[in-house]
Amino acid sequence: MIFSTKAEYGVRVMVELARRGSAQPVALTEIAEHEGLPLAYLEHLVARLRRARLVESRRGAHGGYLLARGPAQITMAEVVEALEGRIAPIECYSASPDGSIHCVLEADPKRVCTSKILWTRVRDAIVHTLEETTLADLTPTTPKKAVAA
Amino acid sequence: MIFSTKAEYGVRVMVELARRGSAQPVALTEIAEHEGLPLAYLEHLVARLRRARLVESRRGAHGGYLLARGPAQITMAEVVEALEGRIAPIECYSASPDGSIHCVLEADPKRVCTSKILWTRVRDAIVHTLEETTLADLTPTTPKKAVAA
DNA sequence: TTAAAACCTACCTGAGAGCTAGGGTATCAG
DNA sequence: CTGATACCCTAGCTCTCAGGTAGGTTTTAA
């Protein structure tokens, strides 16, 4: 598997939040039950989403979580990165914070890591896809009544 | 990391084989030394490549491995799949052999796994990239003398 | 016949995914 | 003001598997 359940579950949480709208906070217990996922584990995931400022929380009774922005303003690249960490196809790739390639082999400047070409392309394809897809794209037929009406 | 060292190392082996040309077999010891990778481990990887009919082997003294086809006829999708197994972004994805989506949630036909849209796009992007890139694309400046001349 | 190489099976080990546990702390209804 | 609800934090647990080792057998060139 390319992504862990962190991304899988976390995306499902985000979709649920988008589905419920932003009127009032949604308790994680509801989502856990609805999706059939362990609450205690989701708490960890949603904590990451909160730290990345993708969701906001309301504590106490009738508390829960809300999207920090409109679904169309949240890209899946942000969501997946918040959950999984920086997206890198292979190990030697991940070093530099800007996402540029940093193959250990190339410490010796005479050598060029040729397979780098491949992993660059793969990474770009993934990131591009995640950036192009917003949470709104995944939120089913709530035909934006609230907005339209 | 998205792909394991199996893909990373295996691709490097394939690139090396392509670089050396198909005149005579290349011993794995040479590649291991050149790339600084553990021989015993590469043996496992190259076994997968052989079973996938991407390389051929010559046993005995002066034996080694050869590409089964020309570098331009080998896509990286074949290579990566041989090494890593079927490419699936998340768990629920991998079930069906044709690569189509098969989310456990959708056992209940009333439910639609909306995040499926995302993972489908991601998978398609990766596979497409891997299919478009051939081993020849990664093989450096052997300007095809053999073919051109 | 010896050395070089592929080939095969089995095993080991550390790290990390995927949780669980048990508290603490804010908020609101009554 | 007191309980219930829910977020929040830290710690730890278990099992799998990536990554690699080990040691043998078989094939072939010289």
Side-chain angles (χ1 to χ4, degrees):
Chain A
M1 287 345 103
I2 286 177
F3 296 112
S4 70
T5 58
K6 283 201 270 292
E8 185 182 346
Y9 295 179
V11 167
R12 276 157 71 179
V13 168
M14 290 297 279
V15 170
E16 269 305 290
L17 289 179
R19 235 173 42 81
R20 307 293 186 104
S22 54
Q24 61 226 13
V26 182
L28 212 50
T29 46
E30 280 184 52
I31 296 180
E33 197 165 344
H34 183 263
E35 298 288 317
L37 299 175
L39 171 64
Y41 189 45
L42 288 191
E43 286 188 329
H44 289 293
L45 305 186
V46 85
R48 291 174 180 238
L49 295 171
R50 184 173 46 81
R51 276 181 237 122
R53 302 195 180 280
L54 294 170
V55 302
E56 284 171 7
S57 62
R58 297 292 145 76
R59 302 183 69 163
H62 303 101
Y65 294 93
L66 295 157
L67 295 183
R69 292 173 250 151
Q73 269 65 57
I74 298 178
T75 74
M76 299 318 290
E78 296 177 275
V79 175
V80 171
E81 263 195 30
L83 294 161
E84 296 273 344
R86 190 155 272 297
I87 294 158
I90 58 171
E91 185 62 41
C92 80
Y93 227 107
S94 56
S96 45
D98 61 340
S100 77
I101 311 103
H102 212 49
C103 183
V104 277
L105 282 180
E106 296 185 333
D108 178 352
K110 280 179 301 189
R111 303 195 59 171
V112 174
C113 180
T114 60
S115 50
K116 179 171 87 173
I117 299 165
L118 176 65
W119 305 124
T120 306
R121 286 188 191 175
V122 170
R123 181 181 190 280
D124 288 351
I126 296 171
V127 169
H128 191 246
T129 304
L130 290 175
E131 279 174 350
E132 275 199 327
T133 307
T134 72
L135 192 51
D137 295 328
L138 306 184
T139 309
T141 52
T142 314
K144 311 206 176 188
K145 256 194 206 167
V147 175
Chain B
M1 289 339 105
I2 287 178
F3 295 114
S4 70
T5 59
K6 284 201 270 291
E8 185 182 346
Y9 295 0
V11 167
R12 276 157 70 179
V13 168
M14 290 298 279
V15 169
E16 270 304 293
L17 289 179
R19 234 173 42 82
R20 308 291 187 104
S22 54
Q24 60 227 13
V26 182
L28 211 51
T29 47
E30 279 184 52
I31 295 180
E33 197 164 345
H34 183 263
E35 298 287 317
L37 299 175
L39 171 64
Y41 188 44
L42 288 191
E43 285 188 330
H44 290 293
L45 304 186
V46 84
R48 290 174 182 239
L49 295 171
R50 183 173 46 79
R51 276 181 236 121
R53 303 192 181 283
L54 293 169
V55 301
E56 284 170 7
S57 61
R58 297 292 145 75
R59 302 184 68 163
H62 303 101
Y65 295 93
L66 294 158
L67 295 183
R69 293 172 248 152
Q73 270 65 58
I74 298 179
T75 73
M76 298 319 289
E78 296 176 276
V79 174
V80 172
E81 264 195 26
L83 293 162
E84 296 272 343
R86 190 156 273 295
I87 293 157
I90 58 171
E91 185 62 42
C92 80
Y93 227 108
S94 57
S96 45
D98 61 341
S100 77
I101 312 101
H102 212 50
C103 181
V104 276
L105 282 180
E106 295 186 333
D108 178 352
K110 279 179 300 186
R111 303 194 59 171
V112 175
C113 179
T114 61
S115 49
K116 178 172 89 174
I117 299 165
L118 175 66
W119 305 124
T120 305
R121 287 188 191 175
V122 170
R123 182 182 190 280
D124 288 351
I126 296 170
V127 169
H128 191 245
T129 303
L130 290 175
E131 279 174 349
E132 274 199 327
T133 306
T134 73
L135 191 52
D137 295 328
L138 307 185
T139 308
T141 52
T142 315
K144 310 205 177 187
K145 258 193 204 167
V147 175

